[in-house]
Amino acid sequence: MIRLTDKIELNYIRVLIIMTLISLTSLYTFNTYGQDVYSISGRVIDVNREPLAYANIACYNAEDSTFVTGTLPGADGNFNIKYMRQGSYLIKISYVGYLEWQSEVKVEDKDVHVGAIILPEDLVELSAITVEGTRERVVIKGDTIEYNAAAYKTNPDATVGALVKKMPGITVENGKVQAEGEDVRRVTIDGEDYFGNDVMLAMTNLPAEFVSKVQIIDGQSDQSRLTGIIDPVTIKTINIITKNPDSKIVFGKIRSGYGTDERYNSGGNINFFDAKERISLIGSFNNINQQNFSSQDLIGTSGIGSQGGGMRGRPSGAGPSSGQSGNDFFVENQQGINTTNAIGLNYNNKWGDKISVNASYFYNQTLNQNINYLTRNYFTTDSSSLSYNEESTQNSNNQNHRFNLKLEYNINPYNTIIFKPNVSYQVNLPEGVISGWYQNNLEEPYNGTVTLSEGDLTGLSINGDLLFIHRFVKPGRTFSINLKNEQTIKATEDYREFLAYDFDPDSISVEPDQKNTLDYNSTRRSASLNFTEQLKNGANLVVKYTPSYEQSVNDIRTNILDSISNDYSKLDSSLTSNLNTFILTQNAGISYQYRFGKSMFNIGAAYQNNRLKGEYIFPEQERIDKTYHSILPTIMFMHRFSDSKSLVLFYRPVNNLPSAGQLQEVVDNSNPLQLTFGNSELEQEYSHSLAGRFSSTNSEDNTFFSAFMMLQFTKDYIGTSTYIARNDTININGIMLAPGTQLNSYTNFNNYINLRTFFTYGVPITFIKSNLNLTGKITYRRNPGTVNEI
């Protein structure tokens, strides 16, 4: 347990708990039934009975024509205007290319259902003129880009991944999906989650013929969705709109293939869909590198070399380490040759009118074979050069189970609860051989090592997210509390055998075998309190307070083999460390959101206080005590020049605390020529991000253009400081370095810059019923670091 007993920390925790209890208790004292309210619902469709998703629905007072509220129908065309008092209202529904519909609706003592509302197309008859055109391919609706799937020709057995690759602005490469230059983090089907946040599962398992439309959305949180207030922090989302979502259908496919060199690929899926219940069963078995990974599939792949993790820092590990951590695969597929066995089940249903449930289970086994060849050259001020060469062969058997659940309960028109737990458990069995050596500018090799290793790594992640939202009778006034608990446990055992040589047969030496263990346990809890208020001019005010705390134990131990007892009983204190950390964060902010004409403006600011305390239990008693203060302003601007052109701009800062692996001053010798050592003096990073996106479509010739740019610069960037010993050297940290040995540590730098741009232009080629998409990227990154203090 963490032995941090300062009174100030205990008081902070007491305040957090007391405020949470008071907030929960106060929710029950609200008079939620002080005045009866009702709803107006219906469905918007065209003459072909296709849903018109995201049409504009406005509600006015029938007596004085003042605006009351508005909404957008979902992907299925259904809408529900809630919290309406008794009275007469004028409902107006409009959609680009269709005639406007309006009608007076009276709300008396019950909910009103207006049924299916058909919007006829807005046609202008021209005598003696015949107009022919191509099918409309792309439509821009505010911050949503919608593609018509029927306008893109695919093979009969094509997947959704093959379909979206044909759409301008969307790319699928190396297991990563990007839209307008941004990583897609979520895929939904008719607005419902599909296998948690695993994007590639939807891309590789759903058939293209099943799709009616594809939408690119700046996804909002559940809290933003239920309060109606846009959050500047979005998640790039692909929403797949199916054909006839209310129909009961069964579809799927089975594939199987066998080729030379004993290569095989088999699998398939079967889906049962109707208006309320949807069940999907998928499977994939192959040895041709087709993978279905999310970050949860790799929580246990990081071994001793990653030194735990935690504290929400950037991936630990530095320099050209031959080992790989789980962070290496957060965005891209695993390298090497992979044999994959995966099976998953996804379930969506609506239990009555108040409860909706989404659940999924996924099992993934990957057998990985990876061979790497690395050459890196170093040039120093004395005009000499040094070259590092490495050959490595690594095999691993990785198995992962993960379960996701989302349960939404609409208690009554005023109160909603959303509960989202998820569990992931992983076992990883790696083994490998690393051979590395240095050579000088005369290409004379010296100081080489051979390292043999095998390990047993396990990881367990248990997360819970509970959101409660209370809506007052007054439109736009809400109160919500979001409680989160995150638990991560890692346990690893890694055995290493070293053979060191300097290319002199008489100098070969065998180092004692090592047993390296890591016990990592991290707990993070937070409570977010939010209050929203709709002002008289139609603007919205949001007040937010988020306290959180995180504690972790990062115990790294190295024992060497006792040649007499033949067991690992000798502790190597130079490679052993136990660090306990405690982080208390206070974040309080306010934001103002205003809509005027075709524009929306959001400006906010938050004050954040981070208190980081650490205590070394071994090898020496030492404490870390740091306090960081930050002002975090946010600005977001959205403007629709027309129904076919839109612009989004935003500025958002963020700070990152150093990870436990970056702070912990213990040597990682998984490669004896590439050592890593932490730095307990690190400061937090403070990054500024400025981004903009412009999208335009021309309905006359069906061309589409999109441009995205993001500029990020970071103060106190945590970079790598590298020291290469040219002779036998004792480093300032007291570490003995043989000639050619490289020591990587961490230092704060300024002037980190990351610039990314993405451009796309799509034009139909009608005579072959296809589409030509031209894309371009420009990236520039300045990544500061030092080599031998230069």
Side-chain angles (χ1 to χ4, degrees):
M1 296 297 293
I2 295 179
R3 297 178 297 171
L4 302 176
T5 57
D6 292 0
K7 292 183 179 180
I8 186 171
E9 310 311 16
L10 294 177
N11 290 335
Y12 276 147
I13 298 176
R14 292 191 185 103
V15 169
L16 190 156
I17 296 173
I18 292 172
M19 291 193 64
T20 302
L21 292 176
I22 292 175
S23 302
L24 287 172
T25 304
S26 65
L27 294 176
Y28 290 98
T29 67
F30 290 147
N31 184 9
T32 58
Y33 300 99
Q35 182 176 355
D36 291 334
V37 293
Y38 306 95
S39 65
I40 302 174
S41 61
R43 189 179 186 216
V44 185
I45 59 177
D46 61 15
V47 293
N48 298 318
R49 306 197 70 80
E50 288 286 332
L52 295 179
Y54 304 101
N56 183 46
I57 302 176
C59 179
Y60 301 86
N61 189 306
E63 296 181 359
D64 55 13
S65 298
T66 57
F67 177 77
V68 177
T69 186
T71 188
L72 297 174
D76 54 4
N78 290 319
F79 69 89
N80 191 0
I81 308 175
K82 299 180 179 180
Y83 324 122
M84 305 299 296
R85 300 189 181 101
Q86 294 183 2
S88 295
Y89 300 93
L90 182 64
I91 307 297
K92 293 183 179 181
I93 302 177
S94 60
Y95 195 88
V96 178
Y98 293 81
L99 296 175
E100 184 180 80
W101 178 93
Q102 66 178 29
S103 178
E104 183 175 337
V105 177
K106 291 185 178 182
V107 178
E108 295 178 342
D109 58 353
K110 62 180 180 180
D111 295 337
V112 178
H113 183 69
V114 297
I117 299 172
I118 300 176
L119 298 187
E121 293 186 59
D122 188 5
L123 302 176
V124 179
E125 185 176 351
L126 301 177
S127 59
I129 296 179
T130 301
V131 179
E132 295 182 356
T134 58
R135 188 191 302 269
E136 193 171 47
R137 298 182 172 225
V138 187
V139 177
I140 298 176
K141 302 174 180 179
D143 61 346
T144 298
I145 298 177
E146 183 177 281
Y147 301 88
N148 186 355
Y152 300 90
K153 186 175 179 61
T154 57
N155 293 328
D157 61 344
T159 63
V160 169
L163 172 65
V164 300
K165 286 168 62 176
K166 295 179 177 291
M167 297 174 174
I170 305 178
T171 59
V172 182
E173 297 178 0
N174 299 321
K176 180 169 62 175
V177 183
Q178 286 193 332
E180 301 180 285
E182 298 180 74
D183 291 343
V184 175
R185 300 294 186 184
R186 186 182 177 208
V187 171
T188 59
I189 300 178
D190 294 323
E192 300 293 336
D193 288 339
Y194 185 78
F195 281 100
N197 295 324
D198 200 321
V199 175
M200 289 308 298
L201 279 180
M203 296 293 105
T204 57
N205 288 283
L206 290 176
E209 61 183 358
F210 167 71
V211 181
S212 171
K213 293 179 175 63
V214 174
Q215 296 176 325
I216 304 299
I217 302 172
D218 289 329
Q220 296 286 309
S221 64
D222 290 318
Q223 183 166 297
S224 298
R225 173 176 59 87
L226 292 173
T227 60
I229 296 178
I230 295 178
D231 191 339
V233 181
T234 61
I235 302 173
K236 207 66 175 180
T237 302
I238 288 182
N239 181 42
I240 299 170
I241 301 177
T242 62
K243 298 177 180 177
N244 303 318
D246 292 335
S247 302
K248 186 174 183 178
I249 59 174
V250 179
F251 64 95
K253 69 176 182 180
I254 297 176
R255 69 180 188 277
S256 183
Y258 186 83
T260 58
D261 299 324
E262 298 184 350
R263 299 297 177 191
Y264 64 89
N265 181 17
S266 61
N269 63 80
I270 184 169
N271 304 269
F272 305 87
F273 280 21
D274 61 25
K276 289 188 176 182
E277 185 179 51
R278 297 188 172 190
I279 302 174
S280 297
L281 177 64
I282 63 171
S284 179
F285 311 91
N286 71 84
N287 61 357
I288 59 171
N289 271 3
Q290 288 190 3
Q291 305 171 56
N292 294 312
F293 279 131
S294 76
S295 61
Q296 291 175 318
D297 290 317
L298 298 136
I299 60 170
T301 56
S302 53
I304 307 299
S306 71
Q307 297 185 10
M311 293 203 279
R312 304 177 305 285
R314 293 179 1 273
S316 56
S321 175
S322 56
Q324 293 177 322
S325 71
N327 294 307
D328 295 330
F329 312 122
F330 276 179
V331 250
E332 297 182 356
N333 280 355
Q334 194 169 0
Q335 300 174 358
I337 303 299
N338 295 276
T339 298
T340 301
N341 301 302
I343 188 169
L345 177 68
N346 192 79
Y347 176 77
N348 283 285
N349 202 354
K350 294 183 179 180
W351 298 341
D353 297 329
K354 294 186 176 182
I355 299 177
S356 61
V357 60
N358 173 268
S360 66
Y361 167 76
F362 187 64
Y363 169 77
N364 190 312
Q365 180 193 35
T366 302
L367 306 176
N368 174 259
Q369 298 178 342
N370 194 4
I371 300 175
N372 283 310
Y373 299 91
L374 169 68
T375 297
R376 178 172 282 115
N377 295 317
Y378 299 89
F379 301 91
T380 57
T381 54
D382 58 2
S383 300
S384 63
S385 63
L386 193 67
S387 175
Y388 172 72
N389 302 274
E390 180 181 287
E391 298 179 3
S392 66
T393 300
Q394 296 181 332
N395 301 317
S396 66
N397 182 348
N398 182 75
Q399 299 184 58
N400 173 266
H401 303 262
R402 74 172 187 261
F403 171 77
N404 295 283
L405 174 67
K406 179 181 178 181
L407 188 68
E408 183 169 339
Y409 177 33
N410 294 299
I411 305 172
N412 52 50
Y414 298 96
N415 301 290
T416 299
I417 290 179
I418 298 178
F419 179 50
K420 294 190 296 185
N422 63 76
V423 179
S424 181
Y425 176 72
Q426 183 179 18
V427 176
N428 188 40
L429 305 174
E431 61 180 14
V433 178
I434 303 173
S435 176
W437 67 95
Y438 280 96
Q439 60 187 32
N440 57 26
N441 54 348
L442 300 177
E443 298 186 356
E444 297 175 347
Y446 67 96
N447 194 14
T449 65
V450 176
T451 305
L452 292 82
S453 64
E454 61 177 311
D456 185 350
L457 296 73
T458 61
L460 174 65
S461 175
I462 303 174
N463 300 320
D465 188 320
L466 180 64
L467 173 65
F468 178 89
I469 292 185
H470 172 77
R471 291 171 287 262
F472 295 81
V473 174
K474 179 184 177 182
R477 178 180 294 175
T478 68
F479 174 81
S480 64
I481 180 169
N482 191 193
L483 304 176
K484 293 184 179 182
N485 182 82
E486 303 172 12
Q487 183 82 30
T488 302
I489 300 173
K490 294 181 183 180
T492 72
E493 284 189 0
D494 186 83
Y495 295 87
R496 298 172 190 163
E497 181 181 350
F498 302 101
L499 177 65
Y501 57 93
D502 61 3
F503 294 90
D504 181 350
D506 297 330
S507 68
I508 296 178
S509 62
V510 177
E511 299 293 331
D513 292 359
Q514 289 183 1
K515 176 185 177 182
N516 304 275
T517 61
L518 166 67
D519 289 313
Y520 175 77
N521 193 328
S522 173
T523 301
R524 184 172 188 266
R525 296 185 175 94
S526 66
S528 180
L529 311 178
N530 294 263
F531 178 78
T532 69
E533 177 73 13
Q534 188 177 87
L535 306 179
K536 291 183 179 180
N537 60 356
N540 293 289
L541 191 68
V542 181
V543 180
K544 183 176 183 178
Y545 171 61
T546 304
S548 67
Y549 80 90
E550 176 180 351
Q551 62 181 25
S552 65
V553 176
N554 203 50
D555 188 2
I556 301 173
R557 293 182 179 272
T558 298
N559 292 79
I560 60 177
L561 183 66
D562 188 327
S563 58
I564 299 177
S565 61
N566 199 32
D567 60 9
Y568 295 92
S569 56
K570 293 183 178 180
L571 182 68
D572 189 337
S573 59
S574 65
L575 302 176
T576 298
S577 175
N578 189 326
L579 174 63
N580 298 338
T581 59
F582 179 90
I583 303 173
L584 179 68
T585 300
Q586 308 277 348
N587 184 294
I590 186 170
S591 64
Y592 176 82
Q593 190 173 109
Y594 179 63
R595 295 178 181 270
F596 51 98
K598 295 182 178 181
S599 302
M600 189 279 291
F601 184 74
N602 184 299
I603 183 170
Y607 167 75
Q608 181 166 304
N609 175 276
N610 289 324
R611 181 76 182 274
L612 166 62
K613 300 197 70 176
E615 183 178 11
Y616 280 100
I617 308 302
F618 187 88
E620 297 178 357
Q621 292 284 339
E622 184 180 348
R623 294 196 173 212
I624 302 173
D625 193 345
K626 298 176 179 291
T627 301
Y628 307 101
H629 305 275
S630 303
I631 300 295
L632 305 173
T634 58
I635 301 174
M636 182 178 184
F637 176 74
M638 299 173 58
H639 179 71
R640 295 183 63 187
F641 299 96
S642 65
D643 293 327
S644 60
K645 295 180 181 180
S646 67
L647 174 70
V648 179
L649 300 172
F650 71 83
Y651 163 75
R652 183 170 62 245
V654 64
N655 50 29
N656 291 315
L657 292 175
S659 70
Q662 292 166 340
L663 289 171
Q664 198 157 6
E665 295 183 343
V666 60
V667 176
D668 169 20
N669 71 335
S670 54
N671 182 343
L673 296 182
Q674 304 281 333
L675 304 178
T676 302
F677 190 77
N679 179 7
S680 61
E681 300 299 322
L682 289 175
E683 300 293 328
Q684 71 170 357
E685 295 180 334
Y686 189 91
S687 297
H688 304 264
S689 295
L690 177 65
R693 183 177 65 247
F694 174 78
S695 301
S696 173
T697 183
N698 189 326
S699 59
E700 295 181 0
D701 56 12
N702 271 320
T703 58
F704 173 78
F705 174 76
S706 177
F708 170 79
M709 184 202 74
M710 187 201 75
L711 174 63
Q712 179 184 13
F713 56 96
T714 303
K715 181 179 182 245
D716 290 326
Y717 169 77
I718 300 177
T720 304
S721 293
T722 299
Y723 181 81
I724 303 173
R726 306 308 297 265
N727 303 292
D728 288 332
T729 305
I730 297 179
N731 182 263
I732 57 174
N733 297 304
I735 301 172
M736 181 65 188
L737 303 178
T741 303
Q742 177 175 315
L743 178 65
N744 299 300
S745 188
Y746 306 96
T747 306
N748 290 111
F749 298 94
N750 290 323
N751 301 321
Y752 171 88
I753 299 175
N754 185 12
L755 173 66
R756 293 192 297 117
T757 63
F758 178 85
F759 309 91
T760 183
Y761 177 75
V763 58
I765 305 177
T766 55
F767 69 94
I768 58 172
K769 298 181 180 180
S770 187
N771 203 74
L772 175 64
N773 300 323
L774 305 176
T775 61
K777 299 179 182 179
I778 300 174
T779 63
Y780 170 81
R781 183 166 62 183
R782 175 187 172 91
N783 193 349
T786 64
V787 176
N788 287 12
E789 300 182 354
I790 298 175

